[in-house]
């Protein structure tokens, strides 16, 4: 993550919805480096996984996941 963030221009885009931001009052945002979504990069490289709406065992989910399974929509539209 440090290497990725240091590799170019960083842009943080706050999500317009939902209001309030989330059930804990946190602001939701996308982080882009040179226009590329950091979350997508981390998922594609196997350093993160997409949130499915529930907690999962990290090791088990990695064993069952194929690298190309990242289904997060990486098209940034605002």
């Amino acid at each position: 993550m440090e290497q990725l963030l240091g590799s170019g221009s960083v842009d943080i885009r706050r999500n317009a919805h939902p209001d309030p931001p989330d059930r804990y009052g946190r602001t939701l945002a996308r982080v882009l480096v040179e226009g590329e979504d950091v979350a997508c990069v981390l998922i594609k490289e196997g350093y993160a996984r997409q949130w499915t709406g529930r907690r999962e065992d990290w090791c088990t989910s990695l064993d069952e996941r194929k690298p190309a399974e990242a289904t997060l929509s990486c098209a940034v539209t605002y």
Side-chain angles (χ1 to χ4, degrees), residues 24-63:
Y24 301 106
R26 298 175 294 198
T27 296
L28 304 176
R30 293 273 179 139
V31 178
L32 308 169
V33 175
E34 296 297 323
E36 190 166 11
D37 191 310
V38 170
C40 293
V41 172
L42 295 175
I43 290 169
K44 287 175 185 175
E45 292 182 0
Y47 294 110
R49 66 171 180 239
Q50 185 173 356
W51 176 248
T52 61
R54 62 184 171 87
R55 294 187 136 211
E56 297 177 24
D57 178 63
W58 176 254
C59 295
T60 301
S61 67
L62 283 179
D63 291 340

